[in-house]
Each structure stands twice: as C-alpha cells, then as structure tokens.
Amino acid sequence: MTGLRRDDFSFPFRISGSSRQARTEDYPVHVDQLLRQLLLTDPGERVALPEFGCGLRRLVFAPQSEALEATVRLQVTQAVQRWLSDQVRLTDVTVRAGADPESGLTEGELLISVSYVLLDTLGARRLDVKVA
C-alpha cells in the first residue's frame, strides 16, 4: 500500500467487542462503505448535508428503459465526482434494470456496478449495489 491511510472507521460506526474502541476497516473496505452510503442515501436525508446522496431509491419505480439506465449512470457519476473525488477515480458505471434472470433481478430492482481506482493505492475495485 503506497498511501498513508491503512484503515479507517467502519460504517456504520460501531464499537469493537474485543478492544472496546471504534471498529476500523481496511482502507479499501472503508471506501466501499463510503460509496455504498453515497449511493443509498437520498438527497435531503441528512440534515447537515442536505445535498449529499444519489437518490437511486426514487428511481426504482420509474419505467424500465435505456433512459432510466442513462439517468442512473449520470446521477452516480455526478455524486461520486462531487463527494468522493478525493478518494476514487471513477472508471465505469453499469446499470441493469428490471427482471433479469442472469443477475437475479426482479421487476423494480436496479443493479449498479461501480468500477473505480483508489487514489491512495491505485488499486482497481468494483462495487455492486442492488437497489430495490
């Protein structure tokens, strides 16, 4: 690992049973948790950061179409660039919507795959988030 950060607080925040201190996660896992938190938070949900979030849950009931997939890609890209650009460089966002036996999706579900590079380590990673 080339970066200075080796681990960070886990999300959601919790206390370790063995040390009775704040539980930490390896830095790549921590960034995955930050990204998942960003994707699953609706704007307005956080009082102190009302613009934080991506609003994906609002799109679950939108008609399944290429336009929906393009909208999701755009929202994810903009949110990651705004809130996590100091942590990651986004390389790809793919979206699957609706009933898809290959991915195990049912009608009304979205599967978002976010590929990125950790800026601290230059390690490539991918996070899959299912929104229902």
Side-chain angles (χ1 to χ4, degrees):
M1 190 176 272
T2 60
L4 298 174
R5 295 179 269 203
R6 298 196 188 280
D7 57 7
D8 213 326
F9 296 114
S10 63
F11 179 82
F13 183 82
R14 49 193 175 262
I15 302 298
S16 171
S18 58
S19 68
R20 294 196 171 139
Q21 295 184 7
R23 184 172 167 182
T24 59
E25 299 286 352
D26 291 335
Y27 185 66
V29 173
H30 173 71
V31 174
D32 280 353
Q33 292 171 342
L34 289 175
L35 187 54
R36 184 178 304 276
Q37 179 182 358
L38 174 64
L39 296 180
L40 296 178
T41 300
D42 283 331
E45 192 173 325
R46 290 185 161 200
V47 176
L49 286 174
E51 295 176 6
F52 180 84
C54 206
L56 297 181
R57 289 194 171 125
R58 288 184 269 168
L59 298 174
V60 169
F61 298 107
Q64 308 292 314
S65 66
E66 289 181 20
L68 173 65
E69 293 176 14
T71 299
V72 170
R73 274 194 301 279
L74 180 63
Q75 283 186 250
V76 169
T77 300
Q78 289 176 339
V80 171
Q81 288 174 345
R82 178 172 184 191
W83 297 103
L84 296 177
S85 63
D86 61 335
Q87 310 272 331
V88 302
R89 186 185 66 215
L90 198 61
T91 56
D92 190 32
V93 176
T94 59
V95 180
R96 289 189 180 175
D100 180 4
E102 275 185 38
S103 59
L105 291 176
T106 60
E107 194 65 35
E109 291 182 325
L110 299 170
L111 179 64
I112 298 103
S113 297
V114 181
S115 299
Y116 62 94
V117 174
L118 283 169
L119 295 180
D120 274 6
T121 65
L122 299 180
R125 297 190 53 90
R126 188 178 103 188
L127 176 69
D128 295 329
V129 176
K130 186 187 275 189
V131 182

